[in-house]
Amino acid sequence: MFERLPGFRDFYPDACAARNFVFRVWRQSARKFGFSEYDCPVLESLDLFREKSGNEIVEQLFAFTDKGGREVALRPEMTPSLARLVGARANSLKRPIKWFSIGEQFRYEKPQQGRLRSHYQLNADIFGEAGAAADAELMALCLDCMTSLGLGHGDIVLRLSDRKLWMLFLETQGLAGPMGEEILQVVDKVERRKREQSLARLESLVGLAAEPLLTDIEALAGIRKFDELTGFLSRKTSDSRLQASLEERFMEWADILETLRCMGWEDFLRIDLGIVRGLAYYTGFVYEVFPRQGEMRSLAAGGRYDGLIEKLGYAPMPAAGFGMGDVTLTILLEQMQLFPRLIEKPDLYGIFGGLKERAEAHTDIAALRKAGLAVEYPLRQVGFGRQFRLASASGARFALIYGSEEVGQGQVRLKDLLSGEELLVARQNLTDVVLRGMESGSLSGSA
Ligand code: HAM
């Protein structure tokens, strides 16, 4: 006997139906926003993820050497592969490039609630558009996916932050460049770590400036109002170049906030500079969506990553996007009982008097299935009573009854299992009668 590997899931039919329901809603949302679906291999060369995804993810790679001696890895995320696809055809693709995919991702994490070693992600990304309108459109799509599943602003919150603003703030403190990146790694963990730990890490980076820096970081991360954010940062510098850069960035913030407000997403938004994202490639607006209740990992996360395509060796191109996982989302939807009844039922169930009638019925069943109807029947010949019980247990709307008498007259008895109504139908008209009955929801008048 074999056990499933830790951190992986089996999808028995009910779980598979739930997963497909989520995928269906994701696809519908992506299409509403004009995104085209793409796909690519789950196995990539290891180098694609080294440096491109950031240290944390690289440590979690499922990597091995293949039989041809290549170093390969199962993808931990979609973004580097997507950048490879777009970069390779950059000249021939019509811009803006708006693409989405739904695919499995693999990370060797410690399995725990909401965090597994394999998960599915919706990825939606826009390439070739540097303006804030693209960021706003992506956030709107991200939220549309969730509200289409039944979640409201009382259930989830999008925490909006900005790496560019963080970098400008660090510049006001004389801490730009690689040092700034190191400090952002500390900011990323401030929420989860004890204060002394963050302080010790900052001291190793900036020495005595650590305490006031941490106080500023905490203040910035605590700001929830746009005018407080602009006020706080404007007070940090008297350098006119920096002030101009800040002003320019505030305009982009105002643009995003106003666009999302007009779209009706204001109540889902929270200004929250406590988010900086662990992944190495983000350069601008970043965000994560969380359930408002509980301590769950994020439902979705993303941001702008204008440097990644160039980092892969292609011509530079602005890019932004997000990933939405199925694990935390499914837990939340289950908790909130938002999954509809997902049992798949046949349209019709065949009931046969004997082997002769069963053989006759096969011709009709094949024709019904060809017409797109779902038909089931017992694979073994059993008594009439048992077959009726099977028919009603299947949840089918209609039973098709092939008794010797009916078949002898070229007919079949069609029974509405909801109303009990019955109709004798000439077999050559069966498909038409059933289709009419399905459409009108009753047999009366469908003969
Ligand atoms: P990420 O934050 O690493 O971003 O993952 C995005 C989402 O995937 C998370 O919010 C979470 O729902 C889900 N997720 C990630 N890891 C796991 C896990 N081990 N178990 C269960 N769920 C998980 C990215 O992957 C970026 N590539 C997103 C992106 C797309 N950025 C730009 N475009």
Side-chain angles (χ1 to χ4, degrees):
M1 280 198 284
F2 295 93
E3 284 194 14
R4 198 178 56 221
L5 290 170
F8 287 82
R9 288 170 293 173
D10 293 318
F11 289 93
Y12 283 84
D14 51 350
C16 215
R19 188 182 84 183
N20 289 342
F21 166 72
V22 171
F23 288 1
R24 209 159 41 239
V25 172
W26 282 352
R27 275 203 175 88
Q28 280 163 358
S29 287
R31 299 235 164 89
K32 280 192 287 184
F33 281 70
F35 283 64
S36 309
E37 188 162 0
Y38 67 94
D39 203 2
C40 56
V42 289
L43 199 64
E44 290 273 11
S45 79
L46 177 60
D47 274 342
L48 182 65
F49 304 114
R50 276 198 189 127
E51 294 173 41
K52 312 298 183 276
S53 290
N55 291 338
E56 199 172 295
I57 279 199
V58 170
E59 280 163 20
Q60 297 167 344
L61 283 175
F62 277 89
F64 60 96
T65 307
D66 76 4
K67 288 184 182 161
R70 297 173 202 90
E71 285 197 278
V72 293
L74 286 173
R75 64 177 178 222
E77 56 159 338
M78 206 67 189
T79 314
S81 303
L82 171 61
R84 176 175 70 71
L85 261 71
V86 171
R89 299 241 174 119
N91 291 333
S92 58
L93 294 169
K94 196 163 81 40
R95 301 185 194 186
I97 300 155
K98 293 160 65 185
W99 285 5
F100 82 96
S101 75
I102 296 173
E104 194 169 7
Q105 320 293 331
F106 304 86
R107 299 184 191 179
Y108 198 85
E109 297 207 43
K110 190 164 172 278
Q112 51 196 288
Q113 164 92 333
R115 198 178 287 230
L116 299 175
R117 290 185 176 162
S118 143
H119 69 281
Y120 287 86
Q121 244 185 42
L122 163 73
N123 273 263
D125 296 80
I126 299 182
F127 290 82
E129 179 48 62
D135 301 79
E137 188 73 348
L138 285 158
M139 283 181 242
L141 170 56
C142 181
L143 289 167
D144 187 275
C145 287
M146 300 203 180
T147 50
S148 300
L149 286 162
L151 296 164
H153 60 81
D155 310 315
I156 53 167
V157 58
L158 185 148
R159 301 169 63 185
L160 175 60
S161 177
D162 183 6
R163 276 188 159 241
K164 211 173 230 175
L165 220 43
W166 269 111
M167 281 306 189
L168 286 172
F169 160 70
L170 291 171
E171 226 179 299
T172 66
Q173 308 299 298
L175 298 166
M179 171 66 89
E181 286 294 339
E182 296 274 344
I183 294 171
L184 284 194
Q185 297 294 322
V186 182
V187 177
D188 184 40
K189 298 192 176 68
V190 156
E191 212 173 67
R192 282 163 278 158
R193 271 189 185 156
K194 290 211 173 77
R195 191 171 198 277
E196 307 87 78
Q197 284 176 300
S198 300
L199 193 60
R201 180 73 190 112
L202 285 178
E203 271 164 1
S204 72
L205 293 170
V206 300
L208 287 177
E211 175 62 49
L213 178 60
L214 184 55
T215 307
D216 273 350
I217 289 173
E218 288 164 340
L220 258 174
I223 290 175
R224 299 284 170 266
K225 293 209 171 84
F226 182 50
D227 54 353
E228 281 174 28
L229 184 63
T230 56
F232 182 95
L233 289 168
S234 304
R235 284 193 296 277
K236 287 289 165 197
T237 182
S238 49
D239 177 311
S240 58
R241 187 192 57 83
L242 262 177
Q243 269 178 345
S245 303
L246 278 170
E247 280 304 322
E248 201 181 314
R249 194 56 179 164
F250 294 154
M251 302 266 278
E252 281 161 336
W253 264 85
D255 189 2
I256 282 215
L257 293 176
E258 178 59 7
T259 306
L260 290 169
R261 191 188 65 76
C262 292
M263 290 175 170
W265 298 116
E266 192 174 32
D267 294 340
F268 289 84
L269 281 191
R270 181 161 106 198
I271 293 175
D272 188 342
L273 269 73
I275 297 287
V276 288
R277 309 281 295 124
L279 293 165
Y281 45 68
Y282 291 111
T283 53
F285 288 107
V286 286
Y287 45 93
E288 295 200 26
V289 182
F290 285 89
R292 285 197 193 260
Q293 307 288 328
E295 288 287 300
M296 230 191 312
R297 190 198 170 116
S298 65
L299 300 160
R304 181 162 283 285
Y305 52 100
D306 285 343
L308 185 61
I309 298 242
E310 191 177 11
K311 222 168 158 187
L312 295 185
Y314 303 106
M317 197 189 312
F322 68 85
M324 181 177 301
D326 71 321
V327 180
T328 37
L329 192 59
T330 302
I331 295 173
L332 183 64
L333 294 174
E334 268 165 7
Q335 276 173 1
M336 299 189 56
Q337 302 184 333
L338 285 174
F339 278 111
R341 277 175 60 84
L342 294 163
I343 302 151
E344 277 154 19
K345 301 173 188 167
D347 300 313
L348 298 125
Y349 199 94
I351 294 175
F352 319 120
L355 291 179
K356 186 170 160 288
E357 289 77 25
R358 167 188 283 265
E360 290 278 340
H362 274 311
T363 321
D364 296 350
I365 291 173
L368 289 163
R369 285 175 172 165
K370 221 172 193 166
L373 293 155
V375 191
E376 280 185 46
Y377 54 85
L379 295 177
R380 242 181 225 198
Q381 192 55 34
V382 289
F384 255 132
R386 175 94 194 275
Q387 291 189 69
F388 271 106
R389 283 195 296 280
L390 288 170
S392 88
S394 77
R397 179 64 205 270
F398 298 111
L400 280 173
I401 304 152
Y402 289 84
S404 57
E405 209 174 300
E406 287 94 351
V407 172
Q409 293 166 4
Q411 290 181 317
V412 54
R413 189 174 297 277
L414 190 59
K415 179 169 180 172
D416 185 332
L417 291 173
L418 270 185
S419 65
E421 201 181 345
E422 286 191 7
L423 197 69
L424 263 177
V425 184
R427 284 178 56 200
Q428 74 262 28
N429 300 334
L430 180 63
T431 305
D432 286 344
V433 174
V434 170
L435 285 174
R436 276 203 297 275
M438 294 290 299
E439 207 178 283
S440 67
S442 107
L443 288 182
S444 33
S446 67

